[in-house]
């Protein structure tokens, strides 16, 4: 147990640690900054001395000396939605793996005053770069403003890097192609898409990927319904609209799992069997997707990998971005909501 200090007592210094461990203070410094350069037995002795004395590194002094604080700023336009929430957690996890801490700011709008206030707070704490998580064009434009003063990585889809601003994320078009191609390979010829809000980059990417797979399969015009939201309720309403349009499609690709859940409920109420009459694919692979009735075929987003890619891009020691987005490919997870089209 570290020895308790009386109030007002001087905190232990590197020199105190060095004396206790019987080494030079340069050795203590190397353990703190380049531990692999110190012999294991010496490093162990120094670490034990730190524990015994209750020594803690003075991070403020270290930041002044090295111009590095070990802090990354994260800006998100909302953490209630599944994708932005998981992406925020992924960035925090990736930062911890690299020995960084994160300061998170949630902005409800992207007006210049909000952006300036966020930037001023981050810069006053000496952040080394900012990751901006946004599905919306407004905050993407604000990220360009942030990048004038500090390195920025934008986590989104459908955009390209700019000066001092990298782009990382998940390949939404690829995920939609995987989902739709799975349905075409099962023999389905009419494949509707229930789209999320089209002011989201992710929703636009999934529409584009769906259309690409439809074109490859040469299926012609297909039903597209804009749900106007990401909720199960929005999916339920979209299913009613789809049924009112005419003959049922062979299959439906929903832009997220909650839309698929509402769709399945609406079909069930109408006596439409899934997958017997209509196959359904979702997107995201939310925690409960395998427990839907039936268990949902969906596209799993690799949030952790995308978070690591964004952080590696931000911390690239060359300080230069590659000029191309660092998009991670998602994975199709097949369950029981899809089946081969009956002849």
């Amino acid at each position: 147990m570290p020895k308790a200090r009386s109030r007002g007592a001087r905190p232990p210094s590197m020199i105190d640690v060095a004396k206790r461990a019987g080494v030079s203070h340069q050795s203590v410094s190397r353990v703190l900054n380049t531990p692999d350069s110190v012999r294991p037995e010496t490093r162990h002795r120094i670490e034990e001395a730190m524990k015994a004395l209750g020594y803690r590194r003075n991070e403020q002094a270290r930041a002044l000396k090295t111009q590095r604080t070990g802090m990354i700023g994260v800006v998100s336009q909302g953490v209630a939605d599944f994708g932005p929430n998981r992406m925020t957690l992924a960035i925090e996890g990736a930062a911890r793996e690299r020995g960084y801490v994160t300061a998170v700011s949630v902005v409800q709008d992207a007006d210049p005053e909000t952006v300036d206030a966020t930037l001023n707070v981050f810069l006053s704490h000496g952040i080394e770069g900012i990751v901006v998580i946004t599905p919306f064009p407004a905050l993407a434009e604000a990220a360009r403003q942030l990048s004038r003063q500090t390195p920025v990585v934008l986590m989104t889809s459908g955009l390209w890097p700019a000066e001092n601003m990298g782009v990382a994320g998940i390949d939404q078009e690829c995920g939609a192609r995987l989902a739709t191609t799975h349905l075409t390979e099962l023999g389905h010829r009419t494949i509707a898409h229930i789209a999320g809000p089209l002011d989201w980059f992710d929703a636009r990417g999934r529409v584009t990927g769906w259309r690409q797979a439809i074109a490859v399969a040469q299926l012609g015009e297909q039903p597209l319904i804009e749900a106007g939201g990401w909720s199960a309720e929005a999916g339920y309403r979209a299913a009613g609209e789809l049924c009112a349009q005419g003959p049922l499609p062979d299959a439906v690709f929903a832009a997220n799992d909650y839309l698929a859940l509402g769709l399945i409920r609406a079909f069930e109420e109408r006596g439409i069997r899934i997958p017997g009459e209509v196959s359904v694919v979702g997107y995201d692979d939310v925690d409960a997707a395998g427990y839907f009735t039936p268990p949902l075929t969906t596209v799993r987003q690799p949030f952790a990998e995308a978070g690591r890619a964004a952080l590696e891009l931000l911390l690239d020691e060359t300080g230069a971005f590659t000029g191309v987005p660092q998009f991670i490919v998602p994975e199709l997870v097949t369950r029981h909501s899809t089946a081969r089209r009956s002849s």
Side-chain angles (χ1 to χ4, degrees):
M1 293 287 292
K3 184 179 178 180
R5 295 198 308 269
S6 61
R7 181 172 298 185
R10 178 181 65 82
S13 67
M14 279 202 300
I15 293 176
D16 297 325
V17 174
K19 286 180 179 178
R20 186 178 182 97
V23 299
S24 68
H25 75 274
Q26 290 93 340
S27 295
V28 177
S29 178
R30 285 197 295 271
V31 166
L32 291 170
N33 297 294
T34 56
D36 290 341
S37 68
V38 182
R39 289 186 301 174
E41 59 270 22
T42 302
R43 185 170 67 242
H44 176 73
R45 195 161 71 248
I46 292 171
E47 289 171 346
E48 288 299 311
M50 289 178 182
K51 290 179 184 177
L53 293 172
Y55 173 82
R56 294 178 67 88
R57 182 203 301 255
N58 186 330
E59 293 293 347
Q60 289 183 330
R62 175 174 177 260
L64 288 172
K65 183 177 180 181
T66 66
Q67 300 300 306
R68 303 192 68 169
T69 61
M71 182 178 293
I72 300 297
V74 179
V75 179
S76 175
Q77 200 159 340
V79 294
D81 293 295
F82 180 82
N85 176 50
R86 289 300 176 92
M87 202 68 82
T88 301
L89 293 175
I91 287 293
E92 290 181 323
R96 283 196 303 273
E97 290 176 3
R98 290 289 301 270
Y100 285 79
V101 296
T102 54
V104 180
S105 177
V106 178
V107 298
Q108 298 303 320
D109 55 63
D111 64 82
E113 289 185 3
T114 300
V115 173
D116 286 344
T118 299
L119 180 61
N120 288 335
V121 169
F122 282 162
L123 292 181
S124 69
H125 286 80
I127 55 94
E128 296 183 29
I130 300 175
V131 179
V132 179
I133 303 167
T134 179
F136 302 113
L139 191 52
E141 179 55 36
R144 297 183 190 275
Q145 300 175 35
L146 295 173
S147 69
R148 294 171 184 168
Q149 299 187 58
T150 190
V152 168
V153 168
L154 190 63
M155 293 207 72
T156 188
S157 61
L159 292 179
W160 282 74
E163 185 177 356
N164 211 35
M165 188 183 80
V167 175
I170 296 169
D171 192 333
Q172 304 298 335
E173 292 183 15
C174 175
R177 288 195 300 270
L178 289 171
T180 310
T181 300
H182 170 66
L183 294 170
T184 63
E185 289 175 346
L186 289 174
H188 300 303
R189 309 305 296 169
T190 307
I191 302 171
H193 180 47
I194 306 299
L198 293 182
D199 57 344
W200 284 56
F201 290 121
D202 289 359
R204 296 179 193 175
R206 292 168 201 176
V207 170
T208 299
W210 166 72
R211 284 178 170 152
Q212 289 170 345
I214 292 297
V216 168
Q218 299 181 329
L219 296 183
E221 191 74 16
Q222 299 290 311
L224 171 65
I225 294 178
E226 298 177 27
W230 294 106
S231 67
E233 181 182 0
Y236 183 90
R237 292 195 303 267
E241 185 177 342
L242 186 63
C243 291
Q245 286 185 354
L248 281 175
D250 299 333
V252 179
F253 165 42
N256 82 345
D257 292 344
Y258 294 115
L259 290 171
L261 177 61
L263 178 90
I264 290 170
R265 174 61 184 272
F267 280 0
E268 181 184 58
E269 290 180 356
R270 291 167 171 79
I272 299 168
R273 294 176 293 109
I274 299 172
E277 295 176 73
V278 181
S279 287
V280 176
V281 178
Y283 203 104
D284 281 338
D285 194 27
V286 298
D287 295 339
Y291 297 91
F292 286 12
T293 304
L296 185 65
T297 294
T298 185
V299 175
R300 178 178 296 156
Q301 299 208 66
F303 292 113
E305 292 89 335
R308 284 192 290 271
L311 200 69
E312 292 295 332
L313 191 59
L314 187 67
L315 301 180
D316 181 356
E317 292 184 358
T318 67
F321 297 120
T322 63
V324 296
Q326 302 296 300
F327 288 152
I328 308 300
V329 175
E331 173 190 1
L332 180 71
V333 180
T334 56
R335 297 192 178 102
H336 302 307
S337 63
T338 54
R340 184 162 296 279
R341 178 174 177 260
S342 56
S343 55

